[in-house]
Structure formats: C-alpha cells, structure tokens
Amino acid sequence: MKNGFIILLFLSLAVGFGQNNDAPKEDAKLIKENTTEKSDETDYDQIYTSVQVQAVPPGGMNAFRKYIASSFRLPEVSEKTLGTIIVKFVVWDDGSIRDINIIKENPVGLGLGKEAVRVLTNSAKWTPGQYNGRSIKQYYTIPISLQIAPVDKVVQPIQETEAPPKKD
C-alpha cells in the first residue's frame, strides 16, 4: 500500500509538471513563419574573403611582383634594412583596387606604407574574383618584403693639380 501511494504520487507529479509537447511545435512554427530565409538569394554587394575564382593582377602574380619592384621608391637609409609591409585591399567587381589598408609596416617611419599605397593605387586593373559566375568584390592581402641597401655616398677623387713635368 505504501509503495502504491509512492508510485501514484510520482506519476501525478510527473504528469502535473510534464511539458506540453504541442507548445514547442507551435512556437517553432511561428518563429519559422516570421523569419525570412535568404538561402537562394546571395547579396552580391558584400565583399568576399573566399571565392570560387581568385582575383588576378594583369599578367599574373609574378608580373605584379615585378611591377611593385620596379615602381617602389626606396627610402635612403644609412645601413642595410629589411622592410616588411602587409597590405589589405579590395579588388572591386570592375577590377579596380580600393580601400587600401596597411596592416603592418616595419620599420615604422620610413614611409614604406605610403609608398605601397601609391604603388597599388597606380597599378592596372585586375581581373576580378568570381562567385557563382558573377564578378564580385574581394578582399586581398599581399605581403611586401624589401631589402633596402644603404646609400653609398659617392666620393669624388681628389684631382691632382697639374705639376710641371720633371726634368731629367
């Protein structure tokens, strides 16, 4: 009898405090109806970090490295210096480079970042990246490493004054 009472009490508590299974289904249905799903639509105005076809500079990356090397104006330094610049920019869907940001510049104070911005701004248009067959805006990050040689001051040789020819 005592065991029966405990079982009856347990069942009544379990039924009394049990959850109504219909309520969560209705809540989930309401939430799903109120949300707008954009699984089939893609916002092509956003800037991508991962794309199906990468943006490419004219002539490829090796030609772009040569362009940077030939266009970069190195500052004058007194001793051999290694410079590092990390540049992040956006290749727009028309191939132009915009929104250039210097992520890292070492050593600071030589103007390497400003020079990198100048070189990238003057570069030719790229072939834009593609996603689902459409040209898109893509973030691009390029590290630039420089080895800057010290400026050798040209010392003019001392010119000898004309001495009279020696007599023998």
Side-chain angles (χ1 to χ4, degrees):
M1 177 88 172
K2 194 173 187 180
N3 288 339
F5 180 70
I6 293 174
I7 292 174
L8 184 60
L9 181 63
F10 176 73
L11 288 175
S12 65
L13 288 174
V15 172
F17 291 111
Q19 294 181 358
N20 184 355
N21 289 338
D22 294 334
K25 289 180 184 176
E26 292 298 320
D27 290 342
K29 185 177 181 183
L30 290 175
I31 292 170
K32 188 173 184 180
E33 288 173 359
N34 291 334
T35 59
T36 57
E37 294 183 21
K38 293 184 179 181
S39 60
D40 295 336
E41 298 175 14
T42 304
D43 183 14
Y44 288 103
D45 290 333
Q46 66 183 358
I47 302 172
Y48 290 77
T49 55
S50 177
V51 296
Q52 294 169 335
V53 178
Q54 291 284 332
V56 180
M61 280 309 290
N62 287 335
F64 191 66
R65 286 187 190 106
K66 288 178 185 176
Y67 163 74
I68 290 174
S70 65
S71 301
F72 211 94
R73 293 186 210 142
L74 298 174
E76 293 183 4
V77 292
S78 59
E79 59 185 40
K80 183 177 176 181
T81 306
L82 297 176
T84 304
I85 311 143
I86 298 178
V87 185
K88 183 176 183 178
F89 54 90
V90 178
V91 178
W92 279 57
D93 50 359
D94 66 351
S96 62
I97 295 177
R98 301 182 195 168
D99 304 324
I100 303 169
N101 294 315
I102 304 301
I103 305 284
K104 179 183 176 185
E105 178 181 357
N106 187 23
V108 179
L110 293 179
L112 299 176
K114 287 182 181 179
E115 184 62 14
V117 170
R118 184 193 69 80
V119 169
L120 289 174
T121 302
N122 294 332
S123 69
K125 287 191 174 188
W126 290 35
T127 303
Q130 292 190 357
Y131 188 80
N132 288 338
R134 296 189 64 181
S135 295
I136 50 90
K137 300 171 192 166
Q138 176 190 353
Y139 279 114
Y140 214 92
T141 304
I142 293 180
I144 301 172
S145 297
L146 305 166
Q147 186 174 10
I148 308 168
V151 176
D152 293 331
K153 294 187 179 183
V154 178
V155 178
Q156 295 292 331
I158 300 174
Q159 293 181 352
E160 297 180 19
T161 57
E162 289 185 29
K166 294 182 183 178
K167 294 183 181 179
D168 291 319

